[in-house]
Amino acid sequence: MIIVAIDGHSSCGKSTMAKWLARKVGYIYVDTGAMYRTVTLFAIRNGFITPDARIDEEGLKKALNDVEIGFQLDPNTKLPLACLNGEVVEKEIRGMEVSGLVSPIAALPFVREKLTAQQKAMGEKKGIVMDGRDIGTAVFPQAELKVFVTASAEVRAKRRFLELQEKGEKNLNYDEILKNVQERDYIDSHREMNPLRQAEDAVVLDNSNLTIDEQNQLLLKMFEERKG
Ligand code: DC
């Protein structure tokens, strides 16, 4: 068994392909973005972050010691659902409120330390597909397969728009979503601790012009080559 690390920009389809591969080959799937989103939801609910992104770092740091960020398997789909202290929060963490505040929370070193340690432990037995921003560089620098996924900001904003529309989110504005995608790209790539960057030994997969099936097949081919 191997470790598959999938990194890339927001809304570039990482999770879709990571989930697909994990199911196809019977590996565990971990969406690390969901973990940062869950911490963000916790911070919002408890007043540690304001709508204009002012953060009470001291308060959040202390409170996080007693917070459990994890996953539960959906009995029907068998896919992991994000949990905050045992409560399934999958729907809450995907909305615009959390999306708008997650990057500054994910830039906090104490948040990254907590979640990175947890992610490393999840991969101890290998047989895992993990997606995020720093998986191939910081969480599993030893991963046998590293993929860096990308697509243009416009293509990604369009996909995100359709995804939110499908989920029934109202009052969607494409320009606002594009701005959110670009802002997140900037913060994720410029933060001090473990910024988004391509690992030297990662394979780049630009899926701007690929269908989901085409990208899945490419990923499977890479997996077959690396799994030994
Ligand atoms: O993949 P996503 O859009 O759900 O990620 C949400 C945010 O979390 C994104 O702004 C970057 C951050 N993130 C991170 O910093 N490190 C990771 N390994 C995963 C996500």
Side-chain angles (χ1 to χ4, degrees):
M1 288 212 280
I2 64 169
I3 293 180
V4 181
I6 303 191
D7 289 303
H9 293 104
S10 38
S11 304
C12 65
K14 292 185 303 287
S15 305
T16 306
M17 72 168 90
K19 241 181 252 174
W20 180 86
L21 180 68
R23 177 177 286 198
K24 178 94 185 159
V25 303
Y27 276 22
I28 291 168
Y29 164 63
V30 178
D31 170 0
T32 62
M35 299 171 76
Y36 289 95
R37 287 170 178 272
T38 303
V39 172
T40 306
L41 181 69
F42 172 79
I44 294 172
R45 282 184 176 176
N46 294 280
F48 294 122
I49 187 166
T50 59
D52 58 345
R54 272 175 302 138
I55 303 173
D56 168 7
E57 288 192 32
E58 275 304 300
L60 179 60
K61 190 173 180 179
K62 252 195 226 136
L64 263 191
N65 286 329
D66 300 317
V67 171
E68 201 201 323
I69 308 292
F71 295 96
Q72 259 176 39
L73 277 196
D74 182 315
N76 300 318
T77 63
K78 302 279 180 264
L79 282 170
L81 303 171
C83 290
L84 171 59
N85 288 329
E87 172 198 351
V88 174
V89 290
E90 199 49 47
K91 191 157 188 283
E92 291 85 340
I93 62 165
R94 307 290 170 188
M96 285 299 278
E97 194 188 10
V98 168
S99 297
L101 294 173
V102 62
S103 280
I105 292 286
L108 298 170
F110 61 88
V111 171
R112 302 205 72 79
E113 271 158 26
K114 176 181 170 87
L115 297 188
T116 306
Q118 217 178 317
Q119 290 152 9
K120 285 185 174 166
M122 290 169 170
E124 255 163 19
K125 296 195 183 116
K126 298 199 175 193
I128 192 165
V129 182
M130 190 174 277
D131 80 50
R133 303 292 186 289
D134 60 345
I135 312 306
T137 52
V139 180
F140 298 129
Q142 79 283 20
E144 287 84 355
L145 173 59
K146 298 181 188 178
V147 183
F148 190 84
V149 193
T150 187
S152 74
E154 288 74 16
V155 166
R156 289 184 283 128
K158 208 170 130 194
R159 288 180 187 155
R160 181 113 188 95
F161 183 96
L162 294 173
E163 192 187 324
L164 288 168
Q165 198 173 44
E166 227 165 74
K167 284 190 180 144
E169 189 118 1
K170 301 271 179 305
N171 303 323
L172 290 174
N173 176 326
Y174 170 81
D175 291 329
E176 207 176 289
I177 292 176
L178 177 61
K179 204 171 131 234
N180 175 249
V181 164
Q182 288 165 332
E183 270 171 12
R184 279 205 283 159
D185 283 359
Y186 185 87
I187 304 178
D188 294 345
S189 322
H190 289 81
R191 67 167 172 246
E192 217 158 281
M193 188 174 173
N194 303 342
L196 168 68
R197 68 180 169 81
Q198 187 194 323
E200 268 172 30
D201 50 350
V203 186
V204 179
L205 202 164
D206 183 331
N207 66 15
S208 301
N209 299 307
L210 294 180
T211 63
I212 290 178
D213 189 48
E214 285 167 339
Q215 77 173 14
N216 287 347
Q217 293 307 326
L218 269 177
L219 181 62
L220 182 61
K221 193 162 161 266
M222 290 179 208
F223 174 84
E224 297 291 348
E225 282 164 10
R226 299 292 171 95
K227 79 170 201 283

